[in-house]
Amino acid sequence: MTSTINRQFIDGKLVESGGQDRYTVNSAVTGETLAYATMGDEADVARAVEAAKRALPAWSATSLEERRGYLQKLADAFAAHSDAMVSALVEEFGTTTPTARYIVSQSRDWFIAAQDLVTDDTFVEQIGDATVNHVPVGVAVLITPWNGASWFMAMKASVALAAGCTVIFKPSERGIWQVQPVIDALAEAGLPDGVINVVVGRGNPVGNALTQHPDVAKVSLTGSTATGKVIARNGVDTMKRVTLELGGKSATVILEDADLAQAVPFAVQAGLFNNGQACIAGTRVLIPASREDELKQALAEAVSSLKVGDPTEPDTAVGPVLDREQYDRIQSYIRKGLEDGGELLAGGEGHPEGLEGGNYVKPTLIAATNDDTIAREEIFGPVLTVITYQDEAEAIRIANDSDYGLHAYVAAGDVDHGREVARQIRAGRVMVNDVIDAPDAPFGGFKQSGIGREFGRFGIAAYLETQTIFSK
């Protein structure tokens, strides 16, 4: 049965959207319509900014103990709504149930981890005669994507609130189904009115109105590079502070001494996590010419063996992608890769057999060159490009020959040597031989993958301004 979504969370209350624009929410799994949603508008933005501005003085003056207590309330509320969050993730954008559970569990954990950052040392330090105060930057707008809404919302809000900022979320309208249980959790957490607000709407008008508003001091975006450039331009007149976590086209470099049994699963996991719908996906797999045949065969066998299907089934490795628009976009890249002379090693165009009903894509592996479109542009789906290099210097050159620099991976037999190679890759994070969960280490990108860093103490620093007071 199709439902109706018509609510925002503003000034501590669930209120109807002020806009008239409607968005149709479809299931990634079946393609059926789940809901019709009414989007927010500039009037909703104005109310949310006013509420956040009004709440800022009292919130930034809360004691550290009070702030830690509120962060725990948010963690508890997210835990209470975890089942609904998992179901919504799976239904709306097709991630598998185990991945959805991981995303939602980490969503709660961000609020727990942020409590450890709420200490005197975070906010005050002494440098000779100077007392350095780290003070909240002000009202912060948090713009989040659709590929795991609860995770991004919690990650950003946890440190923004810990810093003493009030926040306004602008989640992607393409993730509005996932956002509903998050709104329920935020409403039940019991924070003071106006400290957290949610306005769901399109980039135009809602995103533009928020990022141009003179009372907004900070914008944090996770999204595309194109959107990041718009936000940077929108904020320049009022010198908004920005954190931009943008696109990626990450390389997985398999070195000549890599263990095949370890390197191939590592590359597949890095490239196809979340059905390939991840900014950190290692979608360019670089292999040495000396082992080209065996690595192509092993990678093709690994990708071909992945079960594609219903994301609620426990043995499904790859579920559907978000929507028909995303499906068509991925198909166009596969087609372009083959038209440009790429060698199809696994997968290809069209739906997997028997899965024509949802937005299912065949996990695809194409051998190409780093100059081909399929190796240059972010696809955001289960498509990997295999690129052969002649020697290690060329591997590093190819890995760095990208507009992006968010993430990278290195598979190496000699771990110390793998770390040496990793240091030469221009990426914000590089993982050697394993996909590692490191929520307290800095996250962010080089080049057109963004500006600034998130996670842990690096994340909270992005929501603090520095004030120096001298006295003798």
Side-chain angles (χ1 to χ4, degrees):
M1 180 172 149
T2 303
S3 62
T4 299
I5 298 172
N6 184 11
R7 62 179 188 163
Q8 314 285 357
F9 183 61
I10 298 174
D11 203 14
K13 302 174 184 63
L14 294 169
V15 298
E16 290 189 357
S17 301
Q20 301 299 314
D21 185 17
R22 298 241 290 177
Y23 180 82
T24 302
V25 183
N26 295 320
S27 166
V29 181
T30 65
E32 296 174 352
T33 297
L34 298 173
Y36 298 104
T38 302
M39 300 286 96
D41 64 4
E42 295 97 327
D44 293 321
V45 168
R47 286 192 292 271
V49 174
E50 176 58 31
K53 180 183 177 182
R54 187 170 57 249
L56 180 63
W59 178 253
S60 62
T62 53
S63 71
L64 302 189
E65 183 178 359
E66 287 175 313
R67 219 172 291 171
R68 286 191 293 267
Y70 281 121
L71 289 167
Q72 185 59 50
K73 286 178 180 290
L74 284 162
D76 294 341
F78 268 60
H81 290 271
S82 61
D83 288 346
M85 291 181 189
V86 168
S87 296
L89 287 171
V90 173
E91 191 71 49
E92 186 170 42
F93 85 102
T95 196
T96 64
T97 298
T99 300
R101 288 190 181 123
Y102 168 79
I103 289 169
V104 171
S105 175
Q106 273 214 330
S107 303
R108 174 206 62 215
D109 290 349
W110 285 118
F111 294 111
I112 295 171
Q115 295 173 50
D116 292 336
L117 303 171
V118 185
T119 66
D120 290 332
D121 291 343
T122 296
F123 298 99
V124 182
E125 59 181 311
Q126 197 70 30
I127 303 176
D129 293 331
T131 300
V132 181
N133 297 314
H134 301 285
V135 299
V137 66
V139 174
V141 166
L142 313 179
I143 303 176
T144 57
W146 50 262
N147 59 321
S150 66
W151 190 94
F152 290 99
M153 293 174 79
M155 182 270 290
K156 292 180 186 293
S158 60
V159 287
L161 296 170
C165 295
T166 54
V167 303
I168 305 161
F169 285 111
K170 206 299 280 184
S172 170
E173 71 279 4
R174 297 175 80 188
I176 193 169
W177 189 253
Q178 306 164 50
V179 170
Q180 299 313 301
V182 177
I183 288 177
D184 290 334
L186 296 175
E188 291 177 19
L191 272 66
D193 293 350
V195 171
I196 298 179
N197 306 273
V198 183
V199 180
V200 186
R202 301 183 195 271
N204 185 23
V206 171
N208 286 338
L210 283 167
T211 56
Q212 293 172 348
H213 200 292
D215 291 329
V216 170
K218 166 78 181 184
V219 179
S220 177
L221 162 76
T222 298
S224 71
T225 297
T227 300
K229 292 176 181 179
V230 171
I231 286 169
R233 284 192 290 267
N234 282 350
V236 72
D237 285 344
T238 50
M239 285 297 169
K240 297 191 193 314
R241 279 58 178 149
V242 295
T243 299
L244 305 174
E245 192 271 281
L246 307 176
K249 193 67 181 177
S250 301
T252 298
V253 181
I254 300 179
L255 296 178
E256 197 167 25
D257 69 341
D259 176 4
L260 202 71
Q262 183 275 333
V264 170
F266 174 51
V268 172
Q269 181 186 7
L272 299 183
F273 169 79
N274 222 11
N275 306 339
Q277 299 176 125
C279 54
I280 63 172
T283 53
R284 293 183 297 145
V285 184
L286 279 52
I287 62 172
S290 62
R291 303 182 65 183
E292 180 177 15
D293 291 342
E294 65 172 330
L295 276 165
K296 280 184 175 179
Q297 181 179 345
L299 287 164
E301 289 174 355
V303 171
S304 298
S305 69
L306 296 171
K307 181 188 173 183
V308 184
D310 185 340
T312 64
E313 294 181 0
D315 58 342
T316 293
V318 178
V321 297
L322 172 72
D323 55 22
R324 186 69 195 196
E325 179 183 341
Q326 194 69 13
Y327 173 87
D328 290 341
R329 169 186 167 87
I330 295 165
Q331 297 301 311
S332 71
Y333 275 111
I334 295 172
R335 192 158 48 250
K336 175 66 173 169
L338 298 177
E339 289 172 352
D340 286 346
E343 176 190 4
L344 183 64
L345 302 176
E349 290 186 72
H351 292 280
E353 186 177 351
L355 294 171
E356 292 79 14
N359 305 313
Y360 293 94
V361 174
K362 297 175 185 176
T364 297
L365 188 69
I366 295 176
T369 73
N370 200 54
D371 293 328
D372 291 332
T373 299
I374 200 169
R376 307 301 300 179
E377 299 181 9
E378 187 175 36
I379 298 172
F380 231 63
V383 180
L384 305 181
T385 303
V386 177
I387 302 166
T388 302
Y389 64 86
Q390 296 302 314
D391 56 30
E392 196 169 282
E394 186 183 30
I396 294 166
R397 182 189 65 76
I398 292 172
N400 289 332
D401 181 15
S402 173
D403 292 335
Y404 301 105
L406 182 61
H407 219 281
Y409 307 85
V410 176
D414 181 340
V415 176
D416 289 338
H417 181 61
R419 291 172 64 88
E420 291 176 13
V421 171
R423 285 177 60 85
Q424 299 175 69
I425 298 175
R426 299 281 293 170
R429 275 189 170 197
V430 187
M431 295 183 174
V432 179
N433 285 348
D434 198 5
V435 177
I436 298 164
D437 184 15
D440 53 351
F443 179 81
F446 291 16
K447 298 183 279 187
Q448 294 198 41
S449 285
I451 297 172
R453 294 294 182 266
E454 298 184 284
F455 293 13
R457 65 183 178 86
F458 302 89
I460 195 171
Y463 295 91
L464 295 168
E465 287 279 28
T466 301
Q467 177 201 53
T468 307
I469 297 176
F470 294 92
S471 62
K472 280 194 175 181

